[in-house]
Amino acid sequence: MASIEMRNIVKQYGDGFPAVNDVSLDIADGEFMILVGPSGCGKSTLLRMIVGLEDITSGDMIIGGKRVNDLAPRDRNLSMVFQNYALYPHMTVYENIAFPLRLAKMPDDEVRRRVTEASDVLELKDHLERKPANLSGGQRQRVAMGRAIVRQAEAFLFDEPLSNLDAKLRGQMRTEISRLQRRLGITTVYVTHDQTEAMTLGDRVCVLRKGKIQQVASPRELYEQP
Ligand code: ADP
Ligand code: ADP
């Protein structure tokens, strides 16, 4: 687990208005931080700079006390959970969860230990031999999270993971993500434009507007504002 510190982060695409404009934000070890704001305010860009999928124009990104500006995504040891799950359709649930460990050439018995542990936490034990096509949306989401857990990454990053789900499943998954995050106590950054998610999921909410931080507050503080 690790803290994430952003110091005067700027992202400029081409010569337009900066997509992210001088953002400084400290996310504590184990904290669940929501990034919220209207479409185009820079949420995804900021998240992608944390993961390393996007170069930083200026400023410093510090993860676990270490400056990571020049580190490739695979060397940052973070786990990104995407909206479309990015599961492999031809692989079983077990192999989908194990995939990052296979890539890292981890020995079979350690792979088995970690996948078993993750599928326990995620209540996927009875589905390990199934293929993604035979799972519900919620189960697929859990497999994606399982893959994130087994790597024992420093932090979880979510980019609107629930926006393709129907309202009922979204509600269930909100509860599940929040339960799981508290159980694992892993630093989490979660991008959404959904007010309900912003107000129910995180420890703190960072409101972005036109590439700048408008406010950082707990959901309670935001709720009690006039
Ligand atoms: P969202 O609003 O959900 O963040 P977008 O539709 O803005 O998604 O962006 C989808 C993809 O297109 C992203 O990978 C983003 O980086 C890219 N993108 C967004 N705006 C532009 C743009 N003006 N020029 C090139 N790529 C863009
Ligand atoms: P959000 O996630 O809040 O919807 P984004 O981070 O996707 O916002 O986009 C922030 C701004 O940067 C938008 O104006 C978008 O058009 C622009 N943008 C995003 N990705 C690219 C890109 N690859 N090339 C050029 N402009 C981009």
Side-chain angles (χ1 to χ4, degrees):
M1 281 200 298
S3 59
I4 301 173
E5 299 164 63
M6 302 177 217
R7 298 268 174 266
N8 308 103
I9 297 284
V10 174
K11 177 65 187 189
Q12 178 104 40
Y13 293 108
D15 51 12
F17 197 80
V20 172
N21 193 355
D22 197 19
V23 163
S24 295
L25 180 65
D26 280 358
I27 303 172
D29 208 350
E31 186 173 24
F32 195 143
M33 177 69 80
I34 303 282
L35 302 180
V36 70
S39 180
C41 72
K43 307 182 291 296
S44 301
T45 299
L46 199 54
L47 198 72
R48 291 162 62 82
M49 286 191 286
I50 299 173
V51 195
L53 293 172
E54 201 80 74
D55 285 337
I56 297 168
T57 305
S58 66
D60 291 312
M61 186 68 72
I62 299 159
I63 299 177
K66 181 169 156 196
R67 186 177 181 274
V68 298
N69 288 44
D70 304 319
L71 278 191
R74 67 174 174 281
D75 297 325
R76 296 187 187 196
N77 197 24
L78 306 172
S79 265
M80 182 116 166
V81 182
F82 293 95
Q83 185 182 89
N84 57 9
Y85 318 122
L87 300 181
Y88 298 103
H90 60 288
M91 289 185 193
T92 62
V93 167
Y94 184 99
E95 285 306 326
N96 264 286
I97 296 177
F99 187 75
L101 307 180
R102 301 280 189 219
L103 272 189
K105 304 215 185 320
M106 186 175 283
D108 273 344
D109 50 349
E110 177 66 8
V111 171
R112 197 171 314 114
R113 196 184 66 73
R114 289 208 197 180
V115 175
T116 305
E117 195 177 284
S119 58
D120 235 359
V121 174
L122 292 162
E123 291 165 19
L124 285 169
K125 266 194 308 199
D126 299 333
H127 308 295
L128 288 174
E129 296 312 318
R130 292 166 78 177
K131 300 270 174 72
N134 304 320
L135 299 173
S136 70
Q139 289 167 337
R140 281 204 284 270
Q141 179 77 61
R142 274 185 266 150
V143 176
M145 288 169 71
R147 190 191 280 165
I149 294 174
V150 282
R151 292 187 41 210
Q152 303 183 342
E154 306 272 23
F156 274 169
L157 306 171
F158 290 92
D159 194 357
E160 310 223 12
L162 308 184
S163 55
N164 290 336
L165 308 180
D166 65 42
K168 179 158 173 269
L169 192 52
R170 231 175 14 243
Q172 285 169 12
M173 289 310 298
R174 267 207 308 276
T175 312
E176 210 153 306
I177 288 176
S178 148
R179 182 182 65 92
L180 192 67
Q181 197 274 343
R182 284 180 206 335
R183 181 150 170 190
L184 298 171
I186 190 168
T187 311
T188 300
V189 187
Y190 187 106
V191 163
T192 184
H193 63 262
D194 182 295
Q195 294 293 333
T196 311
E197 286 176 29
M199 296 304 266
T200 54
L201 272 175
D203 298 316
R204 285 195 297 162
V205 182
C206 173
V207 184
L208 289 168
R209 190 160 199 94
K210 296 181 180 165
K212 283 188 172 292
I213 294 182
Q214 198 173 42
Q215 188 171 27
V216 185
S218 69
R220 171 170 288 272
E221 287 163 340
L222 284 180
Y223 187 74
E224 285 171 355
Q225 260 170 27

